[in-house]
Amino acid sequence: AKLHLSKALNAARTLYGERSIKTCYVMQDVGSMHEQLQEYDQALDTFTLVWEIQDQHYGRQHPDMVSTHLAIARIYFALGDDEKTQENVFAVTDLLQSHASSNNSNSNGGGAVEGAEARALLGESVLRQGRVDEAIENFQIAVDAYSSLYGEESQQVDELLQRLIEVCISTHRYEEAIVHLKRRIVVLRANRFLPKGERALALAHEQLARVNVAADHPSVALNELQAALSIYRRVHGRQHRRVRNMEAKIRRHRQEFHEVAANKFDDDDDDDDDDGDSVDGGDYVLDHDDDGDRKDSTTTTTTLESSRSRPSLHIDVTRADDQKKQQKLPNESSLDDGALVSESNGGVLRTPGKRRQHHASDGMDLTPHTKQALDALDDLDFSVDSI
């Protein structure tokens, strides 16, 4: 091809002259060939001559100057000269703006293709200078321009979205990268029936999962990995190595997600403890008695708190047993009709004894000494019962 173009250029020079506009058209093809072969010095010389001829015949405001300035900008960018690159890119955008409503627009939509390419090239140039915000802005303008020209599902949109995503990730702009990745997934989903389309879609879901992990969205990342797994299963089957690797990756990420959640819960509990709030009823503190033995102060505190909040559960078993016997005694057939239940003394039930005999002798004529002895014996009976 190089040989044929050289012969064509020599023939044009012979037929039309060195600086003929027809010779200029052949020169453009020769310059493009040098650019593709990365012979940038020869390409720059050729396009510089093309620009001079066009300027001589058409003037600097002619629409054909747009493609020439753009070619020179690409060559300067390849040579690492950002200043000259941006100078020619601005020449392209200025010409496009001045001819936006001109009737001389060609079939490519009035230079819209050159405009999109110029914005993408400007983005690369300013990015190389560290001007990230300007680069992202120009990339976004180029993506929208290509989308208007070729559709959202076009290859140009997909390629430039990839570049935009790379820039956002490398500069830790994860939320912006997520937005562009979601847009790219829509593009890939529309093209999934193309060769390797399903694989590209699955890889995009994996990339979106990684970005969500970096952006601290682990649950969303798991969903994206699951989407990639579904695609791999549909394409390769459940027993394929890629499917098994993805299943293992999902299990690992799910385990890490649960561990992070558990650690976060523990950290929240620690924060509560620092504020003075106790966990599970109180802080566990080992205290010492006066004799040096350790005791569990948590148990003691819990018992004290329980005694304040609940009524006493201590029951006088003896008194309760006394009450039960008092209720049952009148109905018990084993007792004598004359048996008496004495009043409780400290909760002890007294059975009939000498006091019953004493009462039986009340109607008898007893000497004072006998009565005094019986009274003393009766007192002794009471004292024994009370013990």
Side-chain angles (χ1 to χ4, degrees):
K2 184 176 182 180
L3 179 61
H4 290 296
L5 284 174
S6 297
K7 290 180 178 180
L9 180 58
N10 292 330
R13 285 172 177 172
T14 301
L15 293 173
Y16 307 117
E18 180 69 24
R19 302 183 70 86
S20 170
I21 194 65
K22 293 182 179 180
T23 303
C24 180
Y25 294 149
V26 180
M27 286 183 181
Q28 287 180 320
D29 294 333
V30 173
S32 298
M33 178 197 64
H34 287 304
E35 181 183 0
Q36 292 176 3
L37 295 175
Q38 298 183 2
E39 300 171 349
Y40 297 117
D41 291 333
Q42 295 175 344
L44 182 60
D45 293 338
T46 302
F47 275 110
T48 300
L49 183 57
V50 169
W51 181 86
E52 292 176 356
I53 296 173
Q54 288 177 337
D55 183 31
Q56 178 183 351
H57 287 273
Y58 299 133
R60 297 185 179 182
Q61 298 299 318
H62 194 273
D64 288 350
M65 300 291 280
V66 172
S67 59
T68 303
H69 276 293
L70 185 57
I72 294 174
R74 289 196 306 266
I75 296 169
Y76 273 121
F77 179 79
L79 293 173
D81 192 339
D82 290 316
E83 182 178 354
K84 290 292 186 178
T85 300
Q86 295 169 25
E87 179 182 336
N88 282 273
V89 167
F90 290 141
V92 171
T93 56
D94 290 343
L95 284 170
L96 291 176
Q97 289 177 358
S98 62
H99 295 285
S101 58
S102 175
N103 294 328
N104 295 326
S105 60
N106 50 33
S107 60
N108 60 16
V113 176
E114 288 86 351
E117 185 179 350
R119 286 292 185 175
L121 183 59
L122 180 59
E124 295 289 355
S125 180
V126 297
L127 180 63
R128 191 161 61 184
Q129 293 179 327
R131 295 147 61 182
V132 180
D133 292 336
E134 294 182 47
I136 292 177
E137 180 182 359
N138 282 281
F139 286 145
Q140 289 176 337
I141 294 175
V143 169
D144 294 337
Y146 280 130
S147 179
S148 299
L149 286 169
Y150 305 119
E152 185 72 8
E153 297 82 14
S154 64
Q155 181 180 358
Q156 292 84 351
V157 171
D158 179 45
E159 292 178 352
L160 200 51
L161 277 175
Q162 292 184 61
R163 183 58 178 146
L164 187 56
I165 292 165
E166 292 174 0
V167 174
C168 291
I169 293 176
S170 63
T171 56
H172 308 290
R173 301 168 184 245
Y174 300 123
E175 297 299 336
E176 295 182 42
I178 290 173
V179 174
H180 300 310
L181 267 168
K182 289 181 178 180
R183 183 177 181 180
R184 182 170 182 251
I185 286 176
V186 173
V187 174
L188 293 174
R189 188 176 291 117
N191 298 327
R192 66 183 183 275
F193 300 109
L194 297 177
K196 298 183 179 180
E198 291 274 21
R199 173 172 169 76
L201 179 59
L203 291 175
H205 279 292
E206 288 192 62
Q207 186 181 27
L208 183 55
R210 291 192 296 270
V211 176
N212 274 286
V213 170
D216 197 18
H217 305 314
S219 59
V220 180
L222 285 174
N223 293 336
E224 295 301 328
L225 289 177
Q226 192 67 44
L229 176 61
S230 299
I231 296 174
Y232 287 140
R233 284 176 175 172
R234 183 169 63 249
V235 175
H236 302 295
R238 292 181 175 270
Q239 301 302 321
H240 194 270
R241 176 180 55 85
R242 189 180 301 277
V243 173
R244 293 181 178 179
N245 291 340
M246 179 57 63
E247 290 173 346
K249 182 184 293 186
I250 291 175
R251 288 193 298 268
R252 184 172 64 255
H253 279 273
R254 184 176 288 113
Q255 181 179 0
E256 293 175 356
F257 172 69
H258 290 316
E259 289 177 355
V260 170
N263 292 333
K264 184 177 181 181
F265 180 77
D266 292 339
D267 292 339
D268 293 340
D269 288 344
D270 293 339
D271 294 339
D272 293 339
D273 294 342
D274 294 337
D275 295 336
D277 296 333
S278 60
V279 180
D280 293 335
D283 293 333
Y284 189 89
V285 181
L286 286 177
D287 201 351
H288 294 274
D289 291 327
D290 294 338
D291 57 357
D293 295 332
R294 294 195 304 173
K295 64 179 182 179
D296 188 349
S297 62
T298 303
T299 305
T300 305
T301 305
T302 305
T303 305
L304 292 176
E305 292 296 329
S306 300
S307 64
R308 296 191 190 101
S309 59
R310 297 194 301 267
S312 176
L313 298 179
H314 176 70
I315 300 175
D316 191 341
V317 180
T318 308
R319 187 176 298 274
D321 189 58
D322 181 21
Q323 294 175 357
K324 290 181 180 180
K325 291 182 179 180
Q326 291 180 12
Q327 294 175 358
K328 292 181 179 180
L329 281 175
N331 297 325
E332 293 287 346
S333 59
S334 60
L335 294 180
D336 297 335
D337 294 338
L340 300 177
V341 179
S342 64
E343 297 179 358
S344 62
N345 182 15
V348 179
L349 181 64
R350 293 183 68 249
T351 57
K354 296 181 180 179
R355 185 167 181 81
R356 180 171 178 266
Q357 297 174 0
H358 173 66
H359 286 290
S361 62
D362 285 345
M364 299 176 60
D365 295 330
L366 301 176
T367 64
H369 296 286
T370 303
K371 292 181 179 180
Q372 185 178 0
L374 291 174
D375 292 336
L377 184 61
D378 191 33
D379 293 337
L380 179 61
D381 182 46
F382 273 108
S383 63
V384 171
D385 291 339
S386 62
I387 294 174

